[in-house]
Amino acid sequence: MKNRWLIAASAVGIHISIGSVYAWSNFTNPLIDQFGWSAQQVQLTFSIAILFLGLSAAFLGHFVEKYGPRASGLLAAGFFGVGVIGAGFAVSIGSLPLLYITYGVLGGIGLGVGYIAPVSTLVKWFPDRRGLATGLAIMGFGFAAAISSPIMDLLIKSVGTNHTFYILGAAYLFIMTLSSLYLEKPPADWLPNGMKAKIQSGKVKVNNDLSQLTANEAIKTPRFYYLWLMLFINVTCGIAILSAAKPLAQESIGLSTVEAAALVGVMGIFNGLGRISWASISDYIGRPNTYTTFFALQIILFAFLPHTTEAILFQIMLAIVYTCYGGGFAAIPAYIGDLFGTKQLGAIHGYILTAWAAAGLAGPMFAAWMKDTTGSYGTSLTFFAGLFVLALIISILIRKDIQKVRKQNEAVATEPSISS
């Protein structure tokens, strides 16, 4: 029997590798200087990668369920490793279209499969602590940029851009392959040591999943779309403030360019901390309460942020927003497990992550448009506060749907005793 904490460590290994995509900006200036490409042309590589993350997560979720986490992890390792190595070749011959295909398309496919494969497995290994387990892996994704940025910067300066891609690609391929080989689903109806005895003695109450649905059954339920919309709104508003945090800090509290850049770096730590802390908290207060708390908090924070000129208060508010953004990602797999069971959790998670791909395009573009139209990012934050009101309403509607299904389940469970 494999050790579930080593399974969790393997999941972190995969997520730290693929999460390096968030450090793409390290390549922006070197590529512009080397080839004269525009910032928009270079940035498009990252956008394509995130787009294919969402698409591959949706389309290859069924592959994860059919062939298991090990095969899926190896597939992700192949696509992401080859994509990054291929990016080195694209740079060596100065081909922008090839860079889009290698890092963007191939790397993006590896991102999507690599993101969902270990997470769906962890939910099954940690029936007692779903939030903590998925939070650990997704925290790795959040912290990856902080780990890989200085390494990328050092390599680019010492060996050049193309060789940096070669070295990183080989390293990711090795780490992800090694991590994937340890991944495995637990046996059917498996429980951690001592949990069965605690259940029998009444010390631990089993939280039964609301249902056990396939991905195609799940998308026919209202609660699937409630989850999708909650993630979409949380990510849209979160990504918008991530993309605008630096100029917003300069506008609101008068930070210099260097100070604002440092603030953004520090805030990235709160993004990672939010993933593990909120996901762990959700094990105790429940996923519905966690998301309602996210939205209630952010209605207040987004409404007051544009009007806050006190530096310390501004930074505390921004830190809380960053934790909610990261926490939204980390708690969603456990929420999916609660509502739809673990039968095809990977495939359902893949479908839900299309909200991330859509939000990745919508959030930054809307914030930039509002800035161009009104001359300030503050207006867009006020609009996003309104969006969070909608998200709060949805978080209440999903509770009503859960209660309705639970009553139906109870009615079905009591039918035999009534008829007898």
Side-chain angles (χ1 to χ4, degrees):
M1 176 65 69
K2 293 196 172 179
N3 184 305
R4 65 177 182 157
W5 292 103
L6 289 179
I7 295 275
S10 299
V12 172
I14 291 173
H15 271 240
I16 280 181
S17 300
I18 61 175
S20 64
V21 69
Y22 273 132
W24 170 257
S25 59
N26 284 277
F27 293 105
T28 304
N29 287 335
L31 290 174
I32 291 170
D33 295 341
Q34 190 173 346
F35 299 106
W37 296 333
S38 70
Q40 197 172 4
Q41 286 175 315
V42 175
Q43 184 62 22
L44 184 58
T45 314
F46 173 78
S47 299
I48 292 169
I50 296 299
L51 174 65
F52 274 86
L53 183 160
L55 292 174
S56 63
F59 287 108
L60 290 171
H62 288 284
F63 178 93
V64 174
E65 296 301 338
K66 185 175 181 180
Y67 295 101
R70 184 180 298 138
S72 305
L74 291 171
L75 181 73
F79 269 103
F80 191 67
V82 169
V84 177
I85 292 168
F89 178 69
V91 170
S92 69
I93 63 170
S95 173
L96 188 60
L98 187 59
L99 184 63
Y100 293 157
I101 292 166
T102 52
Y103 195 95
V105 177
L106 297 180
I109 292 170
L111 282 170
V113 183
Y115 191 91
I116 60 174
V119 171
S120 61
T121 305
L122 279 177
V123 169
K124 294 164 188 171
W125 277 102
F126 287 82
D128 52 338
R129 304 173 85 178
R130 277 180 176 171
L132 169 67
T134 57
L136 274 171
I138 294 172
M139 179 186 69
F141 195 95
F143 277 137
I147 296 165
S148 53
S149 280
I151 297 169
M152 287 176 180
D153 190 52
L154 184 68
L155 285 172
I156 290 167
K157 287 173 181 173
S158 56
V159 299
T161 312
N162 61 326
H163 288 103
T164 298
F165 281 121
Y166 291 142
I167 293 165
L168 291 175
Y172 297 146
L173 187 59
F174 175 76
I175 293 166
M176 290 175 73
T177 299
L178 202 65
S179 298
S180 300
L181 289 172
Y182 195 78
L183 289 180
E184 189 178 280
K185 286 181 183 177
D189 301 321
W190 176 87
L191 291 172
N193 288 336
M195 188 175 174
K196 196 174 284 184
K198 287 178 181 176
I199 291 168
Q200 289 169 348
S201 67
K203 289 180 181 176
V204 172
K205 186 183 175 185
V206 181
N207 291 321
N208 293 320
D209 297 332
L210 194 66
S211 55
Q212 289 290 334
L213 302 182
T214 65
N216 291 337
E217 289 168 341
I219 60 172
K220 294 173 185 173
T221 66
R223 56 193 182 280
F224 174 88
Y225 297 97
Y226 290 148
L227 270 191
W228 194 97
L229 285 168
M230 287 195 299
L231 184 65
F232 174 76
I233 292 171
N234 200 58
V235 177
T236 297
C237 303
I239 279 186
I241 206 165
L242 260 66
S243 67
K246 187 177 172 183
L248 185 67
Q250 291 173 271
E251 276 180 21
S252 300
I253 53 174
L255 294 188
S256 69
T257 305
V258 175
E259 288 169 337
L263 174 65
V264 171
V266 172
M267 288 299 135
I269 296 169
F270 286 95
N271 179 359
L273 290 174
R275 292 167 190 250
I276 185 67
S277 58
W278 279 114
S280 301
I281 289 166
S282 77
D283 284 333
Y284 296 96
I285 68 170
R287 257 61 74 173
N289 288 336
T290 303
Y291 277 84
T292 300
T293 305
F294 282 160
F295 303 140
L297 271 174
Q298 290 182 98
I299 289 168
I300 298 164
L301 294 169
F302 273 73
F304 283 100
L305 258 173
H307 311 291
T308 303
T309 53
E310 175 58 47
I312 297 296
L313 181 60
F314 180 89
Q315 290 169 71
I316 290 170
M317 291 166 74
L318 201 60
I320 297 169
V321 168
Y322 269 63
T323 67
C324 292
Y325 172 75
F329 280 115
I332 208 82
Y335 209 163
I336 293 167
D338 295 346
L339 299 187
F340 304 110
T342 56
K343 187 190 283 188
Q344 288 196 347
L345 194 148
I348 299 168
H349 192 200
Y351 286 160
I352 292 282
L353 285 181
T354 56
W356 183 5
L361 294 172
M365 285 173 65
F366 182 81
W369 178 77
M370 288 294 273
K371 165 70 174 175
D372 292 340
T373 307
T374 65
S376 168
Y377 283 107
T379 315
S380 65
L381 296 193
T382 306
F383 174 83
F384 289 139
L387 267 186
F388 277 121
V389 172
L390 176 61
L392 183 66
I393 293 166
I394 295 169
S395 77
I396 294 165
L397 289 174
I398 198 170
R399 288 167 180 268
K400 292 185 178 294
D401 190 59
I402 291 166
Q403 288 169 358
K404 179 184 168 185
V405 176
R406 196 163 279 142
K407 283 178 183 175
Q408 289 171 349
N409 291 346
E410 288 169 1
V412 170
T414 56
E415 272 176 15
S417 59
I418 292 169
S419 59
S420 62

